[in-house]
Amino acid sequence: MSNIVYGGLSLILPGLGQVLAGQIRRGILFFLSLITMVSILYSQAADLGRRAGEGWAAMARAFSRRPGFIGFMILVLIALWLLGAYDAYRCAKEKRKVNTGIFALVLLGFFIQGWQISEIDLVKMVRQAPEALPPLSRVMWPWDAAFERDTDVLSGKAIIMTGEGTPPEQTEPVEGKPYLKSEPNFGELSKRDDDYNMVPGTRITVTGSGFAPRMETEIWWKDPIGNEFRPREGGEYLVLTTDDEGKFQFEMTLPYQLTPPSAEGAFLHTLEARQVTPVGPYKPSEALRLTVGRMVETIFMGMMATMFGIIFSIPISFLAARNIMSGSKVSMFFYYLTRTILNIVRSIEPLIWALIAVVWVGLGPFAGIVALTLHSIAALGKLYSEAIEGIDHGPIEAIQATGASRLQTIMYGVIPQMVSPFISFSIYRWDINVRMSTVIGLVGGGGIGFLLIQYIRLLDYRSAGIAVWFIAVTVAILDYVSAEIRNKLM
């Protein structure tokens, strides 16, 4: 058959020419790669152009939205199709693997598709970097939230009515006590119109007296059901400083608050001015106390999971060692069965086991211990069994020559050789379990991970930073301790 015919066959069916030329694996791999790339491109085009229908209409819509990506991928596919035909021609002519550039082009195509699927946007990353700096700085330096002092709060309140009704009477100032007055003390809250545009509420003038002089004062708003928040003016929280006589005056718009359509009548809101003064010595904050407690819990989770993993994996490892179980067909059956179970359990990440354990035993550290123990048994069982398979058979043969039983052979010929690797693997697994226990808490498996995810969801980056620092320091210390133990015992 002519070399040109091999190339023509690959033009008809990619990879066919390589297969007929004797490069079967090369042809199949090229065919599957090309089909995979086409399938992914079609899926992406269908997703981008799903509103335009299917087929060529969707492709045209996708091209209008992502002309660079779709166009370049089509060129790559055409180049691969033609290069595949040339590769088949060369394979038939030279009878050896040539033209490795074809698979470089395949990798380039997959890289481009991966870039699109994973939605990598370097421009967005650079543009939004300044927005990430404030929370990142709180995480990197969270110690302002690690310690706190008792506070003395000096506050004055004014009642403001919204809705229909008779406005409340204004209170009179009392000598030596903070006083707050709103004029008027009634009005309408800010709201949104049918086009979701903001409609400003009533403008009021607030006057305060009897406060500490030259001190920062925060303004708070409390609705009729007790919800508190800090109102904003011009996008900034209302914060002002009193004069030398402890007085101040400012204007504000009644804030926006979602009100149920069925709400009728008059509603009384509270406007409050607060001066917060730290008093007493510094003490650990609640975030620091919770972090320390959860970190201790995390360490013991890793320790308990490692201990249980060692206890159960040692006997299992002998069942998974070929040189121990090769005596009969029955023992080899248990060898393959044990190996298969260990591979299945080990292939499932501890995070998935934690999700199952949470359903099994409920939220908390016990679920984390169960998840880590299951994975530790599978991992240590494999490591122990491979160490057993690599032992020196000289002592075993010498012991067997004395007429020792299988159990005696294991006790005096196998176990003494296993002490050193067993200790090394066990310490390493403890280190892994402590690291993993910080992660499985994210799904309710207890430990500091559970606390960390709560802080992140609440956007409390300083408290989250305390947890991150404790995780990093603890893992570093445990890594040092495990290395020292390994040096002492090995």
Side-chain angles (χ1 to χ4, degrees), residues 149-183:
R149 299 167 65 186
D150 293 330
T151 57
D152 184 17
V153 180
L154 187 65
S155 68
K157 301 178 182 179
I159 304 300
I160 299 175
M161 186 195 75
T162 60
E164 298 180 359
T166 304
E169 295 184 1
Q170 297 275 17
T171 59
E172 296 297 328
V174 178
E175 186 68 26
K177 292 186 178 182
Y179 175 73
L180 201 65
K181 182 180 180 180
S182 171
E183 292 182 335

Side-chain angles (χ1 to χ4, degrees), residues 361-415:
V361 300
L363 295 170
F366 185 37
I369 292 174
V370 171
L372 290 173
T373 298
L374 289 173
H375 200 270
S376 296
I377 292 172
L380 289 176
K382 179 180 184 297
L383 292 174
Y384 289 167
S385 64
E386 291 180 349
I388 293 173
E389 292 175 349
I391 62 176
D392 184 6
H393 288 274
I396 296 178
E397 294 174 355
I399 293 174
Q400 288 176 339
T402 65
S405 64
R406 179 175 291 272
L407 179 61
Q408 289 173 326
T409 302
I410 293 175
M411 289 292 296
Y412 299 104
V414 177
I415 292 180

